[in-house]
Amino acid sequence: MNKRLAILSTLLRYPDEALRADLPDVMAAIAEAGFSERDRRALERLVRRLGSGDPLDRQEEFVRLFDRGRSTSLHLFEHVHGDTRNRGPAMVELAAVYEANGFAMTGRELPDYLPLVLEFCAVAPPETAANLLAQAGPLLQQIHARLMARGLPSSRGYAAVLAAVLSEARLAPATLPTEANDQADEDDLAAIDAAYEDQPVVFGPESDPDQQGARAKVAAMIQRLRAARQAAART
């Protein structure tokens, strides 16, 4: 198994209760997986961010980055085929690659969902994984660049995951964080930790949290939940 790809797949999952509980193990795995020094530090910073502050904030950030519009969608064929009829045959072809290599899709995510693609590549024969990542490389570079262009600590955190995936494909991202970005992200984490005084509240849809439709509903509810918590705190 390629442990680095397995870690990267996990970090791109929706930040629900299960992922938050796994973060200590993920942090330990990052240290031992053989990432480059820069990738390791950036991934560790993302793990710390995902484990800091209000879980609702982390979920809202994920939804805002990946589920609102196509520009940074984690469904790869969105960037190639959109909603055209060509997307269906591409899905079938990718699913056939999974099946041919004995990979069972256990959830209801579409075959082109990047965390699922990386989960497959982590256990696939190296040649098969390298070929698939090379084909996806231009899309990954595009998503990475758009995340970096957002200029947010959350978007740069997830861009670090894409940069590490590109490293596995022996490709370079067009834009890398600067030392100033890194320090700004560290300062942001410190501010989150200082402001977080309440007990963590865990929230996630009762259905599969990786479903895009379910997350869209979560996004609409997050503000109401936060307002209710603030009102309760004042009484």
Side-chain angles (χ1 to χ4, degrees):
M1 171 185 283
N2 185 318
K3 293 183 179 179
R4 291 184 299 277
L5 288 176
I7 291 168
L8 298 173
S9 171
T10 298
L11 289 176
L12 285 178
R13 295 285 182 180
Y14 180 77
D16 60 1
E17 176 185 5
L19 177 59
R20 198 174 177 103
D22 287 341
L23 290 178
D25 291 336
V26 173
M27 182 71 89
I30 289 172
E32 302 174 352
F35 288 107
S36 71
E37 180 66 14
R38 184 175 193 108
D39 286 344
R40 180 188 63 77
R41 287 189 285 109
L43 295 174
E44 288 176 344
R45 189 159 50 243
L46 174 61
V47 171
R48 287 166 47 219
R49 181 177 184 83
L50 292 174
S52 299
D54 193 325
L56 296 179
D57 290 336
R58 305 290 81 80
Q59 293 169 10
E60 184 178 28
E61 288 169 353
F62 187 95
V63 170
R64 186 166 58 246
L65 286 175
F66 299 122
D67 291 344
R68 294 179 181 170
R70 293 177 180 168
S71 65
T72 54
S73 173
L74 294 179
H75 288 86
L76 297 180
F77 293 156
E78 283 278 353
H79 303 276
V80 180
H81 303 298
D83 292 328
T84 68
R85 66 180 62 187
N86 294 329
R87 189 177 181 190
M91 292 286 192
V92 172
E93 182 178 350
L94 183 55
V97 173
Y98 293 164
E99 184 177 359
N101 287 276
F103 180 73
M105 294 174 55
T106 56
R108 289 177 291 172
E109 278 294 353
L110 296 174
D112 67 334
Y113 188 54
L114 182 55
L116 184 63
V117 174
L118 297 178
E119 182 182 343
F120 166 72
C121 288
V123 297
E127 183 177 350
T128 300
N131 181 55
L132 186 55
L133 289 176
Q135 292 183 53
L139 301 180
L140 301 178
Q141 290 172 318
Q142 175 179 295
I143 298 169
H144 176 273
R146 289 172 175 172
L147 287 171
M148 288 297 297
R150 299 285 179 94
L152 301 170
S154 57
S155 63
R156 287 196 295 268
Y158 284 111
V161 181
L162 272 292
V165 176
L166 286 166
S167 294
E168 293 298 309
R170 301 185 183 279
L171 296 171
T175 306
L176 286 172
T178 65
E179 293 299 325
N181 291 150
D182 291 346
Q183 185 58 52
D185 292 345
E186 292 288 351
D187 294 342
D188 179 74
L189 278 169
I192 289 172
D193 290 337
Y196 188 54
E197 298 177 353
D198 297 332
Q199 291 295 317
V201 174
V202 176
F203 179 79
E206 293 181 357
S207 59
D208 182 357
D210 280 336
Q211 291 301 301
Q212 188 168 353
R215 289 198 300 265
K217 295 178 182 178
V218 172
M221 297 173 66
I222 283 175
Q223 291 300 328
R224 295 199 298 272
L225 285 168
R226 185 175 291 110
R229 289 178 56 199
Q230 292 172 347
R234 290 194 295 268
T235 60

